[in-house]
PDB file of all heavy atoms in Angstrom:
ATOM      1  N   VAL A 162     125.017 109.520  79.574  1.00 93.00           N
ATOM      2  CA  VAL A 162     124.844 110.044  78.211  1.00 93.00           C
ATOM      3  C   VAL A 162     123.987 109.096  77.383  1.00 93.00           C
ATOM      4  O   VAL A 162     123.069 109.512  76.665  1.00 93.00           O
ATOM      5  CB  VAL A 162     126.221 110.266  77.553  1.00 93.00           C
ATOM      6  CG1 VAL A 162     126.056 110.591  76.068  1.00 93.00           C
ATOM      7  CG2 VAL A 162     126.974 111.386  78.249  1.00 93.00           C
ATOM      8  N   LEU A 163     124.277 107.796  77.463  1.00 93.00           N
ATOM      9  CA  LEU A 163     123.506 106.812  76.704  1.00 93.00           C
ATOM     10  C   LEU A 163     122.042 106.800  77.133  1.00 93.00           C
ATOM     11  O   LEU A 163     121.128 106.812  76.286  1.00 93.00           O
ATOM     12  CB  LEU A 163     124.127 105.429  76.883  1.00 93.00           C
ATOM     13  CG  LEU A 163     123.337 104.240  76.338  1.00 93.00           C
ATOM     14  CD1 LEU A 163     123.039 104.416  74.854  1.00 93.00           C
ATOM     15  CD2 LEU A 163     124.078 102.935  76.582  1.00 93.00           C
ATOM     16  N   CYS A 164     121.786 106.787  78.432  1.00 93.00           N
ATOM     17  CA  CYS A 164     120.402 106.761  78.927  1.00 93.00           C
ATOM     18  C   CYS A 164     119.657 108.040  78.564  1.00 93.00           C
ATOM     19  O   CYS A 164     118.464 107.998  78.224  1.00 93.00           O
ATOM     20  CB  CYS A 164     120.401 106.558  80.440  1.00 93.00           C
ATOM     21  SG  CYS A 164     121.025 104.952  80.989  1.00 93.00           S
ATOM     22  N   SER A 165     120.335 109.175  78.621  1.00 94.00           N
ATOM     23  CA  SER A 165     119.701 110.442  78.250  1.00 94.00           C
ATOM     24  C   SER A 165     119.371 110.468  76.767  1.00 94.00           C
ATOM     25  O   SER A 165     118.314 110.963  76.361  1.00 94.00           O
ATOM     26  CB  SER A 165     120.623 111.610  78.611  1.00 94.00           C
ATOM     27  OG  SER A 165     120.890 111.646  79.993  1.00 94.00           O
ATOM     28  N   TRP A 166     120.277 109.947  75.950  1.00 93.00           N
ATOM     29  CA  TRP A 166     120.044 109.875  74.506  1.00 93.00           C
ATOM     30  C   TRP A 166     118.803 109.045  74.194  1.00 93.00           C
ATOM     31  O   TRP A 166     118.022 109.389  73.301  1.00 93.00           O
ATOM     32  CB  TRP A 166     121.281 109.281  73.843  1.00 93.00           C
ATOM     33  CG  TRP A 166     121.150 108.993  72.384  1.00 93.00           C
ATOM     34  CD1 TRP A 166     121.187 109.889  71.360  1.00 93.00           C
ATOM     35  CD2 TRP A 166     120.957 107.702  71.785  1.00 93.00           C
ATOM     36  NE1 TRP A 166     121.046 109.246  70.162  1.00 93.00           N
ATOM     37  CE2 TRP A 166     120.897 107.902  70.387  1.00 93.00           C
ATOM     38  CE3 TRP A 166     120.843 106.408  72.283  1.00 93.00           C
ATOM     39  CZ2 TRP A 166     120.722 106.852  69.489  1.00 93.00           C
ATOM     40  CZ3 TRP A 166     120.666 105.360  71.395  1.00 93.00           C
ATOM     41  CH2 TRP A 166     120.595 105.588  70.014  1.00 93.00           C
ATOM     42  N   GLN A 167     118.591 107.976  74.959  1.00 91.00           N
ATOM     43  CA  GLN A 167     117.424 107.123  74.736  1.00 91.00           C
ATOM     44  C   GLN A 167     116.146 107.737  75.290  1.00 91.00           C
ATOM     45  O   GLN A 167     115.065 107.565  74.711  1.00 91.00           O
ATOM     46  CB  GLN A 167     117.656 105.749  75.362  1.00 91.00           C
ATOM     47  CG  GLN A 167     118.701 104.933  74.626  1.00 91.00           C
ATOM     48  CD  GLN A 167     118.847 103.551  75.233  1.00 91.00           C
ATOM     49  OE1 GLN A 167     118.977 103.413  76.444  1.00 91.00           O
ATOM     50  NE2 GLN A 167     118.824 102.535  74.396  1.00 91.00           N
ATOM     51  N   ALA A 168     116.234 108.444  76.399  1.00 92.00           N
ATOM     52  CA  ALA A 168     115.037 109.011  77.030  1.00 92.00           C
ATOM     53  C   ALA A 168     114.604 110.321  76.399  1.00 92.00           C
ATOM     54  O   ALA A 168     113.459 110.754  76.583  1.00 92.00           O
ATOM     55  CB  ALA A 168     115.295 109.220  78.524  1.00 92.00           C
ATOM     56  N   LEU A 169     115.495 110.965  75.659  1.00 92.00           N
ATOM     57  CA  LEU A 169     115.223 112.304  75.148  1.00 92.00           C
ATOM     58  C   LEU A 169     114.039 112.326  74.184  1.00 92.00           C
ATOM     59  O   LEU A 169     113.194 113.230  74.248  1.00 92.00           O
ATOM     60  CB  LEU A 169     116.478 112.846  74.459  1.00 92.00           C
ATOM     61  CG  LEU A 169     116.437 114.310  74.015  1.00 92.00           C
ATOM     62  CD1 LEU A 169     116.281 115.221  75.227  1.00 92.00           C
ATOM     63  CD2 LEU A 169     117.711 114.666  73.253  1.00 92.00           C
ATOM     64  N   GLY A 170     113.958 111.352  73.285  1.00 90.00           N
ATOM     65  CA  GLY A 170     112.912 111.358  72.263  1.00 90.00           C
ATOM     66  C   GLY A 170     111.515 111.336  72.846  1.00 90.00           C
ATOM     67  O   GLY A 170     110.634 112.092  72.412  1.00 90.00           O
ATOM     68  N   TYR A 171     111.305 110.484  73.837  1.00 92.00           N
ATOM     69  CA  TYR A 171     109.976 110.390  74.463  1.00 92.00           C
ATOM     70  C   TYR A 171     109.630 111.683  75.186  1.00 92.00           C
ATOM     71  O   TYR A 171     108.499 112.181  75.082  1.00 92.00           O
ATOM     72  CB  TYR A 171     109.948 109.220  75.432  1.00 92.00           C
ATOM     73  CG  TYR A 171     108.620 109.021  76.110  1.00 92.00           C
ATOM     74  CD1 TYR A 171     107.555 108.430  75.437  1.00 92.00           C
ATOM     75  CD2 TYR A 171     108.428 109.423  77.430  1.00 92.00           C
ATOM     76  CE1 TYR A 171     106.323 108.254  76.057  1.00 92.00           C
ATOM     77  CE2 TYR A 171     107.204 109.246  78.056  1.00 92.00           C
ATOM     78  CZ  TYR A 171     106.162 108.663  77.364  1.00 92.00           C
ATOM     79  OH  TYR A 171     104.946 108.494  77.982  1.00 92.00           O
ATOM     80  N   ALA A 172     110.598 112.252  75.896  1.00 93.00           N
ATOM     81  CA  ALA A 172     110.345 113.498  76.619  1.00 93.00           C
ATOM     82  C   ALA A 172     110.021 114.636  75.657  1.00 93.00           C
ATOM     83  O   ALA A 172     109.109 115.435  75.902  1.00 93.00           O
ATOM     84  CB  ALA A 172     111.568 113.848  77.472  1.00 93.00           C
ATOM     85  N   VAL A 173     110.743 114.707  74.553  1.00 92.00           N
ATOM     86  CA  VAL A 173     110.476 115.754  73.563  1.00 92.00           C
ATOM     87  C   VAL A 173     109.076 115.606  72.975  1.00 92.00           C
ATOM     88  O   VAL A 173     108.344 116.583  72.807  1.00 92.00           O
ATOM     89  CB  VAL A 173     111.549 115.711  72.447  1.00 92.00           C
ATOM     90  CG1 VAL A 173     111.138 116.607  71.278  1.00 92.00           C
ATOM     91  CG2 VAL A 173     112.897 116.157  72.987  1.00 92.00           C
TER      92      VAL A 173
END
Side-chain angles (χ1 to χ4, degrees):
V162 171
L163 171 56
C164 294
S165 300
W166 173 77
Q167 290 183 311
L169 187 63
Y171 181 77
V173 169

